Structures are given as structure tokens and as C-alpha cells.
Amino acid sequence: MSVADYTSSRRVRLGGLAVVTLGALAAVAVLVFDVPLERIFTVGFINRTLVGASPIALAAIGGLYAEKSGVFNIGLEGFMIFGAITAAAAMYGMGGTSPSQPHIWLAIAIAVAFTLALTILYAVLLIRYKADQIVAGLAIWFMGLGFAPFAASLLWDTVRSPGLASINNYSVPYLAEIPYLGSIVFNQSPLVVFTLVVVIVSWIFLYRTQYGYWIQAAGDNPKALDTAGVDVNRVRYATVIFSGAMAGLGGAVLLAHAGDFIGTGDTMVDGRGWIAIVAYLFGNYNPIGAALAALLFAGLDMLQIQFQTADITLFGRDISARLMGLAPYVGVIIVLTVWGKTRMPSSVGEPYEKEE
Amino acid sequence: MLDATVYERIGIAVGSTALALLISLVIVAAVGHDPLQFARDLIVGSFGSRRAFSRTLQFTTLFILAGVAVAVAFRAGVFNIGVQGQLIIGGISATLAIIWVAPFLPNGVGGGIALALLGLIAAMVTGGLYAAFPGVLKAYYGANEIITTIMLNFIAIGIVGWAVDGPLRPDDARSVRTDYLPDNVALPQLLFENPNFSIVGLAFALVVAIVISIVMTRTSLGYDMVTSGHQEPAATFSGVASKRMIVTTMTLSGMIAGLVGAIFAIMVQGYFIDPSGIGNYGFDAIAVSLLAANNPLGVVPAALLFGALDSSSSYVQINSGVPVQLIDGIVGLVVLFVAAPELFRMIAKRTGLGGDDR
Amino acid sequence: MSVKNEPAKVRLEGITKTFGDVVANDNVDFTLEEGTIHALLGENGSGKTTLMSVLYGLYDQDEGSIYVDGDHRTFTSPQDAMNAGVGMIHQHFQLIEPMTVLQNVILGHEPTVNGLVDEDAARDDIEEICSRYGFNVDQHLETPVEELDLGTRQRVEIVKSLYRGAEILILDEPTAVLTPQEVDGLMTLMEDLRKAGRSLIFISHKLDEVLQIADQITVLRDGAAVGTVDAADTHEQELARMMVGREVLFDRLSRETSVGDPVFAAEEISVLGDRGLEQVSEVDVTVRESEILGIAGVQGNGQTELAEALTGLRPVESGKISFRDADITETGRRRRIELGIGYIPGDRQIEGLVQNYDLVKNALLGNQTIEPYAKNGWLDWGAVSEHADEIIEEFDVQPPNASVRATSLSGGNQQKFIVGREIGHEPTVMVAAHPTRGVDIGSIEFIHNRLIELRDDGLGVVVISSKLDEIQKLADRIAVMYEGEFIRTVDPDEVTEEELGLLMAGKRLEDESVDADAEPVETDSEAQS
């Protein structure tokens, strides 16, 4: 088997696995729970999945840029938490408990700016001071788990924010009336469309511009890029800072859809940053693949709502929402197990130094 | 981090802690509270009274065990972030094993000791298995253990949380919990009068730390593990079956993590509760272990530090008005600085301290 | 040959470069005339690559000046050097394996239209370069580099430099990874480049290649320039003397002992490499007591995989491995160590030593289950420490201090320590992979003598090497490995270096007399026919 066969068989496996997973879910739904499929895959389910996938896809794209360039940003989860709390705080600061739609957009921008600033410090630690990428990434997560509820307590005396505001769907007159398609395409959250644009632009940037070439080179053979006259660490600074900002954006988008901040337990981000990492691994470091994987995980997450609204029972008992909510985590483990040996860029995790 | 000398490691640990505490003082001042009051409350809240001290030791006991669990894995180059999930599984298993077997054993002290031992064993077995699973996935399927163990944390919290609120919850329980453990299952109260702490529990944790330290430095298994963590191809060359070693390491780490859950159930709580509310021992343990450069004995002072921080948190909130969550943030800062020893080498060089020019 | 009244293409004056305490270049002068090939000759570690890295802007020199076309230049990055027309083809190719040839060639100099890379424009430029110099890489432009063989990758590297406008090409040991045919192709290419007016610096430690292609030769030794000679006015013996500072003769050593019984054998084993491709195809190996079996071959023809299969580090796909009549095909590495199968690994930095361990801890590596160092799982550090001191003493490891970390030893001393430790296992069979790679001359002789002693003590020894002289000196029987097969087993006394070289290149000899007196055919591969 040649290397070419090997890589193309991987691509086939990727698509195949996604199809098999969805097929298995459908089969489980139909056979075990005796549910007609149309009660699971409703328009509402598709819309909830799109909304749920957006933050994961955004963070995943950030993460894959960093990793493509040779830095494993394991702090995505933490940056998402910082993004969410900053957006909530900004929204509350501008509009109190009833912020307007422009306040939401502004709050998202502030959250991105704040996480971007934070990631600059993080990038300096990783690149300039060669911090251990895994440990530093975990630290960002821990800091998010501590400082976000801390900030919430300062602002609202409790780790939960009061109800703020969530983003309104845009609605195209008449077209939105079209069955199915209309309510998905023409009556949708603008942030979902925004995410879609980001996915496509980041794909073009990575595979069709010289900067994209440099990012790929920095992760695979940094010395080659250096000898080609491109500063490896500058590329890595750019991607790491981008990844943090994107994770912050993801957190802000999550908040803008939810409408309030929850700081209990693992916070409202609740593992989405980790799932984002798996999404880009599953998507083979391709922004479009990562977005599709995000859809898969978000769909698993939204199944619990479907099961409840569709009154689905197992052996005559209600299925606990709490147990159904574990589906994405189980999905992640299955994906990693079946799909674990992804082809990582060869120089991930190694600091680059000109003179050794 | 593995290539630093002992003095450097201690310097990095002290420097990281000092820098993190300093930043937290700045934050406290910035949000309008008195940083000096905050610093004083940290100390009074952890060591200021016999009660505070015993509470500090209570947390220290759990942190020692959890820190050793993390250290074992990190030393061998396996990133077990799942100690939290493993201790939850271990804790619920210990609780259930004791409750289920109690009716068949006599009521006295002997029965209590037997039940406690049974609980410890049950916790080690289940904690070990719950860790071996991601170990197998990593070794034989290449699944990144950082992510699988984090997912398994979520899953452990979800399943045990559901069970404790559902099938395992007694009808008369007002809060989410299991049945109480029998009265004879408790560690003896010596020196300190604190229903949630026993010096025997602390002694047990210290013994575990010492035993693991001996295993790491004086046995073939320990050498195999540490060598795998340093340089995996060299370990393979020397005859270590690397895949099996990953599973062994995870299992050992999970067994110790299980003990944390058992000690939590037996010594601290007396029953088991919704795991989303038992405290992040498994995560803080990562900070404890890193601060100790993953040395099982170094874990002891690091655990005391984190035990004191956790112990003082409620006192701090009541007296200084600073939200307790700041403590978790400080933990994150400590870990962040521990990750960047070069930062301290640079500081040391600039300030002329520690002229060890590397 | 060169136009003397014009300034030299490149002139380096008094270059000094140190790394910590190590002086890599000591006040080196070097002049490259336009349109010539100038060889930089020296042993491994003599400072050739460092000097050229200074010229290429990868390192900043501590002292000295660089002149290109007579102008004083300061290069702080390869970009500066490239702008001055200097290109370097590194020994380890600087290619991005998953990216295509075209993307690799234009990396860092991508033509763009509206912000997007204009691959069509790039393709035209590259095809123009290829046709001018007679390269044949243009049909590979859309192929990912990882699918190309090493010779093609090297041509991609050269095209890359030319695409960037290089007038001066530095080739760092370009022949090290090539088969003899590929070397011939490279030589032709270098001549074409010279004809086209390019100036080439050819880094090598191979005398014959240097004499064949170069106009001038500068010899480096221990970081200093020993002298520059015209290729036409010198010969191998002179160059060798300049390189090592004394006359060296690698004579074959005569043997007194007779070969014993087979102790270790592999039958028709096939082994997969890291990428899942078959690297060893149905090879038979028989190792006898009191015999050194040499396995010769250009690196990357399956020798590493074979060594790892024999020593238990890599599973075999098919076939059987036996040790003293016992089947050990499924036996793990640890058990094979205990049985007495010693292994000097090819990569001492990664496999042979734990770099951050001191020598005491390293003395235990591989001995974890061997008495007296370990008993029932408990370690006896006292015994290990004594063992470390013994190795240091007996094998003359410098510095003689067991508490230093492995990483602080020189390559030769690291290798001596490993050899000492592996011999200390009291093995029955020793597999030595590239036992003297990157080792200084003194240590080479020392290690060779130890391997011969092992043979004379009755051990079966396997030496894997790509150095012809080493194989010819040590081996009692030479099996030549090519593309995963033993294509021939020969008697070292009956074969010339030229014939060995041809075999290593995959050429099967017509003249059967070559192995007339070789040992029986057990070691021949079935695939020979």
C-alpha cells in the first residue's frame, strides 16, 4: 500500500465513520426506543444542532491552526470560559439585565479582544519561555474554572448571571415560510451564518494562501520554513493568538445564544473546548472537516432534548436527561478510539530555536 | 521540567507559588478588597486555630493521595487528567461495598475495620479499572489520554450523579446522597476532634506516598515507569513493553485515585453525595503534583500548601468578602508558572540569583 | 579554471564559531571561485557543516568576515544569505512531507494573485528551471514529497534553491543517503550546474567522490582548515593524512579462531517498517559462534528493521527466529535480553542512553531484570553503581565520573559506554548496528577491537554498517542488503570494494567466483533467484 492509498483510505474512513455513527444512532432510535425518525430529526433539532455546533466549530478552527503550526493549544476550554464570562460581563456592563442586540455584538467583540490579549501572554509563555504546552494549557482551563465564577460572584454575588439577552434570529420575509428549508436557512441565528463564513474563509486561508503554507510548514518542518526565510516563531505567535481569540469567540457565541452565564461545576462551556480538540482531530485538521465533526457532537448533545420532547422511554422508564447529556462525551471517546491515530504535524509540541 | 536539578525544582515551586499569590493579592486589591486582610485571613483560616488546622490536614490528606496518583502517571509520561473521575468511581464503590456487606458482618470495631478495608479495596479495584480503560485506549488505539480521561470525568460525574439522585437515594433523604455508612465504619479520633478528619487517615496517606516513592526509586517496575516517562524509545530498548506499561501506569494511578474517594467517603463524608459537589481534588492534585515536580514525597509539602488554601477559603470569604473561587484561580496560576521554568531561569539570571548558568 | 583577476565568488576570512566550550570553527579561511566546485572535506564533527551554516546565515559567527563577489556581507538569517545568492541543500532535507513538490519549491517565495497563491505562475517558472538544467522533477510537481524517493527529494531541494535565485549552492553531504546510481546522477547534475556558471560547495567525508568531482578541496580537521589543494594535484592518501593527521590503513585483520555452530537464526522473516510497508522480505540469517556476520548496505534498505526484529524490538510478520534451537519468534525484548541477545542500537541518543540520567542510572538500562542488579523486582543500586564504574574504567569513558549525565558525554564516549554496558550483559550473541557512527577515530579502533574480542571469545556477532571499510575489516562473512533482501553473501577476502559497492547498489554480480569460498548459503535470501 502506498502512502497515497494510505492517506486517501483515511479520508474514506473519516466520511465512513461519520455516516456509520449517524446510522447507528438512527438505528438505536428506531429499534431500541421505537421512535419514528421524523420525531428525532426535526427542524428544531437541526437548528439547535447548528447553534450548538457553532462555538465548537469556532474553537476547533482556532485549535487546528495552532496545532498545524506546531503548537498544541490545549487551553481552548479555558479560553472559551474566559470568552463567555467576558461577553456576559460586557453585556451586563453596557445594558444591565436587558441589553440590546447591538450590545450583544459589541460584547462579543469585547470578549474576543479580551481573550486575544490574554492569549498574547499565553503565547509568550509557550513560545518565548518554552512552557510545557500541555501543562500550560491545563493551567488556562483551571484559571478559567476559577476566575470566571470569581468574576461572576463579584458582579452578581453568585456564580450565575441574571438573565441577559440572547441574539435574535434574522428572518427573510416570505422565504422563511418555505417548509423545512425556510426555517433553517432564512430564519436563523446570524452567528450560525457567521460561523459558516469563518469556516470557509479559514479553509481558503489555510490551503490557498502563502500564510496557510507557512502555517503548515511551521508545524511539519519548522527548519525548512526558517531556511526559506520565514520567521517560524512569528507564524506560531500568530496562530496561537488566533486560536485563543477564536476560542474566546466560541465562548462568546455560546453565551450570546444562551443568554446568561452559568458558572457552576465545569461552567456553561462544560467540555466544549475539549470536544473542539477532538472535532479537529476527527476532521483531519481541515476546517471543513472540523466543522462537520462539531455538527456531529452538537447533534449528539441535542438528542437529549429530542428524547424528552418526543416522550421517548426505555423499558417504560423516562430516560434521564442527565444520562442522555453524556452522549457527546461517549461519542468523543468512540471517535478517538476508532480514529485515534490521526496524523499529527511532526513538530507539534517542540519549541523552535534557531541555534541549537 | 524533568531536566532541572533539585534546587532548581524547589526554586521553581517556591517562585511559582509566590508569583501566583502576589498576583492574587493584586487582584484582591483591584476588585476593592484589602489585600493585607486577605493575606492574614489565608493564614488564620488555615492555621489560626486547632479547628482550622485540622481542616487543613483533612484537605492535605486527600491532596497527598490525589497528588501521588497524578505523580505516578505524569512521572511515567502518561497524562492522567482523570483522577477526579477515578476518585468518584472509587468513592461510590467503597460506599456501596460497605453498605451492601455491612448486614453480614458483626457490629463492633472488628467489623468496622473489615468494612473499611473492604471499602478501600473496592475503591482501588474500581478506580484502577476506570483508569485502565483510557490506558488501554491510548496504548492499543492511540486515543489521546488527556481527552479521554477528561471525558470520563464528565461521564463519572453524570452517571454517579444520576445514580445518587435516583436509584441510590434513600426515600427519606432530604439532600442528594446515598445511605449513611454504618457507625462502626469510621477512622478513630485521635489528637484532633473533627468529625471529618482523623490523624489515621493522614498517616495512611503518608504511608502511601512513601510506598510509592520506594516503588519508583527502588524497584524494576519503578525504573521502567520513570524511564518510559523520560525517554520512551530507551525504555523500549531496555525491554519495557511500552503499551503494557501505559496500562500498568494508568491502573496504578487509578488505584491510588480510588483511595482518595474511599477516604473521602469514610473519613470526611460518611456517605456519598452528588459528585459535582465534592470539590475538585482530582484537578487540584495536578497542581500539587506539578509543584512537587511529580515526586511522590515532594507531593506532601505541596499538598499541605493546597490544603491550607482550600481550608481557608470559606473563612476568607466571610471575613474579607473575597469570593472563594479566587482560590481555584490561584491554583491555575501556580500551574501556569510551573509550566514555564524558563521564565524563572530568566528571572534568576536578571536578578543575579542562582547563578547556575545553564 | 577560474578567472583570477575578478573577486572570488565567496570568501570567508577568519571564521570562528564556538558552542559553549566547544570550538566548532577555529579561524577558518575559505575561498570559492566562480563557476567551480569546491569540496569541503573532513571527518564527522570537523566543523564543515558549522562553517557552511555560518555562510548560510543559520549561525552568527563569533569572529570573521564573509565576502560575496568581493562585497562584505553580514548574514543574520538564511533570508540574507539567499538574497546574496547563497542556497544550501541540507543533509536532512528541509522539505514539508505532506505538501506537494511545487508548494515546497515556492515555500517562502510564493507568487500571489489577489492574496491567493498563484500555482500556475510558479509551475511555469519551475518548469523553465528544470528544462534549463535537465532536472526531471517537473512530472512530480503535484506529488506530496513523502511519496518521493530520496534522490528525487534531493533534486527538489536543488530546484528549490535555484528557484530562489541561488548562484552559490552548498551541498551538505549530499551522497550520504543515496544509492551509487543516484550518486552518479548527482555528479552529472553538479557538472551541469558548473557548466551553467553556478558555483558549488560540496561537503563530504568521502575521498573518492571529492576527487571525482571537485576542482579544489579544502580539508578541515577539529574545526580548523588544514589546507586547500587542487584536486588535480592530490591523491587519496594525502587527503586522508590531512583529514586524520596521520596515515590510516584499514587493513583486514587476520583470524585465528575457527567458526563454531549456529546459535541464532532467522528463517524467511518479513518485517514491516514504521509506515506499515514491508522493509524486510523473507530474509534468512544464521549467526554462528566465533563469527562476525557483516550486514552491508546503504542506509534505509531494511537493516534497522532487521536488527530490531532480531533483538525483539519489532514483531515479524512471517517467518521464524530461533536461538539455540528454541523458537523465540514471539519472545519479547526483555526475555531476549535475559537469554543473552545483546544489542548495540543504531541510535545512541534516543535508544541507547537516557540523556537526562547519570551514568549509574544508564548502567541499569536493559539490566532491570538481571542479577545482581535486580532481584525479585528490587534494585540493588550499589551493584549498579559498581557496574557503571567498571564500564567507565574498562572502556575508558571520559570524563571518568559516573555521576555525570549521559547528555554531557561526547558521541564517542557515549558509544563506548553503551558498548561496555551491552558487553557487560555477558551475551551469547551481539547485534551491533552502526557501532561507530559519528564516533572519533580513536574510539572506532577501540570499539572494533572489542567486537573482535567478542568474536574470539566465541560469541556470534552481527555488525550492521553502511561503511564498507568497517564491514571489510570486521566481517568474516558479508551479507549485502538491498531493498529488504540479502542479495548476496560474500567472503570479505574475495571481494573488492568496487564489487561490494555494486552489490549495495542492487547490482547482482555476474562473476560467480566472487563468493566461491564463502560460507554455505544459509544466509542467502530465497529471493535471490
Side-chain angles (χ1 to χ4, degrees), chain C residues 218-456:
Chain C
T218 294
V219 181
L220 287 187
R221 187 171 74 221
D222 298 333
V226 183
T228 301
V229 291
D230 277 348
D233 306 336
T234 187
H235 49 80
E236 288 201 14
Q237 289 303 315
E238 183 186 23
L239 291 176
R241 195 170 54 241
M242 289 169 79
M243 272 170 73
V244 302
R246 64 188 163 91
E247 301 273 356
V248 268
L249 287 172
F250 276 149
D251 273 341
R252 285 191 42 69
L253 303 171
S254 57
R255 262 172 296 272
E256 288 99 28
T257 50
S258 58
V259 173
D261 299 328
V263 283
F264 188 37
E267 290 166 47
E268 295 190 9
I269 57 167
S270 295
V271 186
L272 299 186
D274 288 336
R275 286 216 189 149
L277 306 175
E278 191 171 87
Q279 294 295 322
V280 177
S281 310
E282 298 185 0
V283 164
D284 290 333
V285 184
T286 304
V287 185
R288 287 162 237 273
E289 290 175 337
S290 302
E291 179 196 46
I292 296 181
L293 169 66
I295 297 179
V298 177
Q299 265 180 54
N301 275 292
Q303 301 96 314
T304 306
E305 288 80 4
L306 177 62
E308 291 180 351
L310 292 175
T311 52
L313 283 165
R314 194 178 279 273
V316 295
E317 285 301 297
S318 61
K320 181 184 163 191
I321 299 174
S322 53
F323 179 77
R324 291 198 189 288
D325 300 329
D327 184 342
I328 58 163
T329 314
E330 298 298 319
T331 305
R333 167 82 181 133
R334 176 148 286 169
R335 184 73 196 118
R336 290 197 209 186
I337 293 174
E338 290 162 1
L339 284 172
I341 299 171
Y343 180 35
I344 298 168
D347 193 333
R348 61 175 163 268
Q349 309 266 9
I350 303 293
E351 290 185 294
L353 293 168
V354 180
Q355 296 296 325
N356 280 322
Y357 278 179
D358 61 23
L359 295 185
V360 175
K361 281 188 173 175
N362 267 305
L364 186 64
L365 196 69
N367 281 324
Q368 292 105 303
T369 56
I370 309 276
E371 287 196 42
Y373 317 114
K375 233 177 256 174
N376 305 323
W378 290 94
L379 299 175
D380 181 350
W381 282 110
V384 178
S385 182
E386 271 175 38
H387 183 46
D389 290 335
E390 280 166 20
I391 297 171
I392 290 168
E393 159 116 37
E394 242 180 88
F395 287 79
D396 186 33
V397 176
Q398 296 297 330
N401 177 357
S403 63
V404 300
R405 291 185 191 191
T407 182
S408 63
L409 298 187
S410 72
N413 282 302
Q414 289 190 344
Q415 192 71 11
K416 284 194 282 188
F417 187 85
I418 293 173
V419 172
R421 183 185 65 205
E422 296 308 308
I423 290 176
H425 286 312
E426 295 182 5
T428 315
V429 171
M430 176 66 79
V431 179
H434 309 284
T436 61
R437 183 153 65 189
V439 169
D440 58 284
I441 289 257
S443 302
I444 289 177
E445 295 221 25
F446 186 88
I447 292 168
H448 282 172
N449 290 337
R450 292 302 159 126
L451 291 173
I452 288 164
E453 275 173 34
L454 288 182
R455 193 262 324 270
D456 292 344

Side-chain angles (χ1 to χ4, degrees), chain A residues 53-92:
Chain A
S54 299
I56 298 173
L58 290 168
I61 285 168
L64 81 86
Y65 264 64
E67 190 155 335
K68 269 265 173 196
S69 81
V71 182
F72 191 6
N73 184 353
I74 215 173
L76 292 183
E77 173 92 5
F79 288 115
M80 284 185 87
I81 298 175
F82 279 112
I85 183 67
T86 312
M91 227 187 269
Y92 180 75

Side-chain angles (χ1 to χ4, degrees), chain A residues 297-353:
Chain A
F297 291 127
L300 284 173
D301 196 18
M302 297 306 156
L303 273 184
Q304 55 174 313
I305 299 173
Q306 291 314 103
F307 275 46
Q308 273 167 345
T309 53
D311 259 343
I312 294 160
T313 54
L314 176 60
F315 307 126
R317 290 184 69 165
D318 278 345
I319 300 157
S320 157
R322 195 161 182 183
L323 288 186
M324 275 310 295
L326 301 177
Y329 308 131
V330 175
V332 161
I333 292 176
I334 293 171
V335 163
L336 277 181
T337 304
V338 179
W339 183 248
K341 291 181 180 107
T342 44
R343 175 164 180 176
M344 279 171 76
S346 355
S347 299
V348 168
E350 298 164 13
Y352 182 71
E353 274 179 286

Side-chain angles (χ1 to χ4, degrees), chain B residues 90-114:
Chain B
I92 191 74
S93 306
T95 308
L96 294 180
I98 291 170
I99 290 173
W100 288 341
V101 177
F104 305 104
L105 286 178
N107 253 334
V109 177
I113 293 174

Side-chain angles (χ1 to χ4, degrees), chain A residues 1-9, chain C residues 146-147 275-277:
Chain A
M1 190 164 72
S2 81
V3 179
D5 292 340
Y6 191 57
T7 32
S8 69
S9 79
Chain C
E146 62 200 355
E147 293 171 24
R275 286 216 189 149
L277 306 175

